[in-house]
Amino acid sequence: MALAVAAVLSGLCSNPAAAQDPSTEPPNLVDSPVLGPSRANGSTTARIITPTFARKRLRSKRYGRVIGVQTSWSGQPQTLLVLDSAMRGDRQWLKLLLPVRPNGSTGWVMRDRVVLSRTRYWIDVDVSARLVRVFHRGKRVRRFGAVVGAPGTPTPVGLAAIYERNRQPNPAGFLGPWALPLTILSNVLENYGGGPGRVAIHGRAGASLSDPLGSARSHGCIRVENRHIEWLAAGPPAGTPVRIRR
């Protein structure tokens, strides 16, 4: 991700104007199993409606962390990807993908602490091919090139999700008009100019245009053409799965 200096990061983080989530399909999932994320069949997302303790293990109350109703950076409604569900006694619990280190961290929360929605979008990032593919209802609807992490600051791989959608105050700045921070973080850099090292999909403008599409020159982020990031910002909602692979 090309956020090596504070001035660049401030474009990502200062006074972001969050886009409104588009309508999502009613999940009809109360007290019923929640299937894991699926490119073909869609995925369930959970908007946190009250601060809650996310258990690391369903059967243990001792280990876990508190998750709030807002994202940690720009204070947007916190909506996380649901990985699984289970009944314990007379209560339904949901396993969420958490936006924290180590990547892939999960936590179990009670069903009544969230509002569920569905997304039929799926984003696939192929780091080796340096391509982004977007699927909707199992069919590919977009395919475009990207700049990915340099060898020394590689784009981390694994399952992630859209965490925030931040309109940039200066669309001609390094990040372009939009940045979509993900739940996944750099495995190499702990800090991007004051931020937590969070990886994002973002646009290209200014100095970032010196790195051509198809190259591996970022600090871990996925840079795409501005027309594509504008389309992404208007479509897939927070919580949409993003599979990053080699």
Side-chain angles (χ1 to χ4, degrees):
M1 181 177 188
L3 301 182
V5 296
V8 173
L9 185 68
S10 65
L12 174 60
C13 307
S14 298
N15 300 317
Q20 295 296 316
D21 279 357
S23 298
T24 51
E25 300 172 34
N28 192 26
L29 294 171
V30 178
D31 296 332
S32 62
V34 177
L35 301 178
S38 169
R39 189 175 80 182
N41 300 317
S43 306
T44 303
T45 66
R47 178 169 58 85
I48 312 301
I49 57 175
T50 186
T52 186
F53 186 76
R55 297 183 182 184
K56 186 174 182 179
R57 299 179 181 85
L58 179 57
R59 296 179 179 275
S60 174
K61 300 178 182 179
R62 294 184 58 188
Y63 302 105
R65 65 178 65 234
V66 175
I67 54 176
V69 300
Q70 295 181 321
T71 57
S72 61
W73 191 260
S74 59
Q76 298 176 29
Q78 180 150 244
T79 301
L80 302 176
L81 179 63
V82 180
L83 302 177
D84 200 357
S85 71
M87 296 298 295
R88 184 162 174 78
D90 60 352
R91 287 189 168 180
Q92 185 179 25
W93 291 76
L94 304 172
K95 186 179 184 181
L96 306 182
L97 180 64
L98 301 181
V100 299
R101 285 190 172 91
N103 290 326
S105 293
T106 60
W108 290 89
V109 303
M110 286 186 287
R111 165 69 179 82
D112 60 6
R113 302 296 196 268
V114 307
V115 171
L116 297 181
S117 295
R118 294 281 290 172
T119 175
R120 298 301 298 268
Y121 284 98
W122 178 281
I123 300 173
D124 181 270
V125 178
D126 186 329
V127 175
S128 297
R130 297 157 193 177
L131 286 174
V132 177
R133 299 178 178 90
V134 184
F135 298 83
H136 186 253
R137 296 181 180 271
K139 296 182 179 180
R140 194 184 77 192
V141 293
R142 291 272 172 147
R143 176 182 182 274
F144 39 88
V147 178
V148 300
T153 53
T155 301
V157 298
L159 180 64
I162 294 176
Y163 185 54
E164 295 178 324
R165 291 184 295 165
N166 295 334
R167 184 192 296 273
Q168 298 306 293
N170 177 15
F174 193 92
L175 302 178
W178 285 91
L180 307 184
L182 307 178
T183 56
I184 203 165
L185 296 102
S186 172
N187 290 318
V188 177
L189 301 176
E190 295 288 331
N191 184 293
Y192 288 138
R198 188 173 300 285
V199 169
I201 304 174
H202 63 78
R204 303 169 70 237
S208 64
L209 293 175
S210 63
D211 298 325
L213 292 172
S215 63
R217 298 187 182 181
S218 81
H219 282 79
C221 273
I222 301 114
R223 306 182 206 154
V224 301
E225 292 285 13
N226 289 344
R227 60 191 175 96
H228 297 311
I229 197 63
E230 288 173 342
W231 182 85
L232 285 171
T240 293
V242 180
R243 171 69 74 180
I244 305 174
R245 60 186 177 87
R246 296 197 189 284

